[in-house]
Amino acid sequence: MGQHVRERRNHRSLTDAKIGVAGCGRMGHPMLAALRLAGFHTDGFDVRHDVGVGTDITAFAQHLSILLTVVRDEAETDALLFDNQKIISQASDINVIIICSTLSPNYVKSLRARIPDHIALIDAPMSGAQVRAENGTLSFMLGGDPDALAHYMPLFEATGKDIHIMGDLGAGMTAKVLNNLLAASSTAMTRLVLDWAKAHQVDERKLLDLIHTSSGQNWLASGFEEIEFARDGYADNNSIGLLVKDVAAALDIAPEGAETALPELVQKTIRGLKPLA
């Protein structure tokens, strides 16, 4: 059977399945919209009542076949899967759980022993911030069984542009937290540079344009006007706070004896960020 025929059949079988996106915040809600736009039968769930999706976990779980989790952290993932919402026991038709949150790779790999064997498990963290989620151009880093990744690829293609298959379960999350460690580092340093530039009356826009075309180029500086949290200060519940969590996830997989002083300093620096006028 040719590849294009398999792709059409995959898409058709997924179109018939009920897909659920749990955690419909700044990333999950645009992903929900992109999947619906691509023709997939997709419902959203969130514990908050003000995000425009359902809050009834029993209704969400009914006939649910494919679950994408986009909740904040490991505690919320545990609450969704096992504790508060108990989706594992409520969704009797579930075939696959796709972890799109950025979590510790060690935690993600530990889920395999906690989730029934008949349910496939894929780690699919994404990158690109809200602007790329809204444009359907996210980057995905995938880990899991190759056959499962191939079968569910149409879902990633509907919401993303750059899709990287990294290896077995946990490999996608490992790549993501290492990527985010770099993003956190450049965020901390870019904000420091802008503070120093302001102190010396150097025009911010001119400096950012220079950085974009010079050796200091980085993701935050190049997308400063588009990235929604570029000027934010630290708060436990915002995207700057998420960077602190992501550095912690990277530190969780630091090799034995590795030097961790620099990542820990980056984490401390981000915690100290104030809003930028």
Side-chain angles (χ1 to χ4, degrees):
M1 185 189 305
Q3 179 181 352
H4 294 301
V5 173
R6 286 195 297 270
E7 289 174 354
R8 286 197 299 271
R9 289 189 177 179
N10 275 0
H11 195 287
R12 200 159 50 238
S13 68
L14 296 177
T15 303
D16 295 336
K18 179 181 175 181
I19 301 168
V21 177
C24 291
R26 64 183 186 86
M27 302 297 283
H29 211 292
M31 291 174 69
L32 172 67
L35 288 167
R36 286 175 171 171
L37 185 63
F40 296 107
H41 174 202
T42 313
D43 285 350
F45 169 82
D46 203 290
V47 296
R48 298 165 297 176
H49 290 78
D50 59 347
V51 296
V53 299
T55 58
D56 184 339
I57 191 62
T58 301
F60 178 74
Q62 189 174 15
H63 305 306
L64 181 66
S65 176
I66 300 165
L67 173 66
L68 286 79
T69 72
V70 202
V71 298
R72 180 179 177 86
D73 52 27
E74 293 164 18
E76 290 191 5
T77 304
D78 270 357
L80 173 69
L81 298 180
F82 310 110
D83 300 332
N84 296 9
Q85 288 80 49
K86 298 182 173 65
I87 196 76
I88 293 294
S89 58
Q90 290 219 55
S92 58
D93 296 326
I94 197 163
N95 293 321
V96 62
I97 297 173
I98 301 173
I99 307 291
C100 296
S101 313
T102 301
L103 310 171
S104 165
N106 290 333
Y107 169 81
V108 169
K109 287 186 279 189
S110 77
L111 288 175
R112 184 64 282 173
R114 303 171 65 192
I115 292 173
D117 290 342
H118 72 274
I119 299 175
L121 187 58
I122 292 172
D123 54 306
M126 65 281 189
S127 181
Q130 184 174 344
V131 61
R132 288 186 62 183
E134 291 172 346
N135 293 335
T137 57
L138 288 166
S139 294
F140 281 100
M141 289 132 274
L142 306 183
D145 176 78
D147 290 340
L149 295 179
H151 181 71
Y152 295 105
M153 188 60 66
L155 304 182
F156 306 120
E157 292 171 342
T159 52
K161 177 184 177 183
D162 301 309
I163 301 169
H164 305 274
I165 298 176
M166 304 306 300
D168 294 333
L169 180 67
M173 201 64 69
T174 298
K176 176 63 193 300
V177 300
L178 294 176
N179 175 79
N180 278 24
L181 180 55
L182 287 175
S185 303
S186 61
T187 295
M189 189 56 71
T190 298
R191 290 289 296 269
L192 181 147
V193 163
L194 292 178
D195 285 344
W196 288 16
K198 184 177 181 180
H200 288 277
Q201 292 82 48
V202 173
D203 183 82
E204 178 184 280
R205 183 67 261 163
K206 290 181 179 178
L207 179 60
L208 288 169
D209 288 344
L210 164 68
I211 292 170
H212 180 64
T213 60
S214 302
S215 56
Q217 192 277 334
N218 67 77
W219 172 75
L220 184 78
S222 292
F224 204 78
E225 301 303 328
E226 295 181 324
I227 297 168
E228 73 278 3
F229 60 82
R231 296 183 178 275
D232 288 353
Y234 171 81
D236 190 50
N237 62 349
N238 70 1
S239 296
I240 296 293
L242 283 175
L243 281 178
V244 172
K245 171 190 72 72
D246 294 350
V247 174
L251 286 167
D252 193 42
I253 61 165
E256 185 175 354
E259 176 55 63
T260 61
L262 182 55
E264 289 165 356
L265 179 58
V266 168
Q267 195 176 47
K268 179 180 177 181
T269 301
I270 291 175
R271 280 200 183 99
L273 287 179
K274 306 298 182 185
L276 187 65

